[in-house]
């Protein structure tokens, strides 16, 4: 299995934190060297482990923002 790499390029928002210190965050994350995407998921306190989440392209994120604005 190939190595999986990620880099949080921009931390945008912490939505919540649970009793074990894991946080639900919105960030811009690059996976395996690809351009960064908007990413919403849970992270361990040291950001070495992640939970399930979703990634959105710039265009998808803009559609979501527009929907909340209207």
């Amino acid at each position: 299995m190939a190595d999986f790499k990620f880099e949080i390029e921009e931390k945008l928002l912490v939505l919540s934190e649970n009793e074990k210190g894991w946080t639900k965050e919105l960030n811009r994350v690059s996976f395996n060297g690809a351009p960064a995407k908007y990413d919403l998921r849970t992270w361990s306190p040291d950001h070495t482990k992640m939970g399930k989440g979703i990634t959105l392209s710039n265009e998808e994120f803009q559609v979501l923002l527009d929907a909340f604005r209207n």
Side-chain angles (χ1 to χ4, degrees), residues 7-68:
E7 179 181 355
I8 299 174
E9 292 190 0
E10 184 178 6
K11 293 183 178 188
L12 299 171
L13 178 66
V14 175
L15 297 167
S16 62
E17 182 175 342
N18 71 18
E19 63 282 348
K20 294 182 179 182
W22 283 62
T23 52
K24 188 175 296 177
E25 302 181 13
L26 175 65
N27 298 312
R28 301 254 313 141
V29 181
S30 170
F31 294 99
N32 293 323
K37 292 187 175 191
Y38 289 94
D39 182 78
L40 179 62
R41 72 180 62 246
T42 54
W43 291 92
S44 65
D46 62 1
H47 290 86
T48 59
K49 297 178 184 175
M50 65 180 80
K52 292 182 180 179
I54 63 166
T55 58
L56 299 168
S57 67
N58 290 342
E59 294 80 13
E60 292 167 330
F61 189 70
Q62 189 61 54
V63 169
L64 185 64
L65 286 178
D66 292 344
F68 279 108

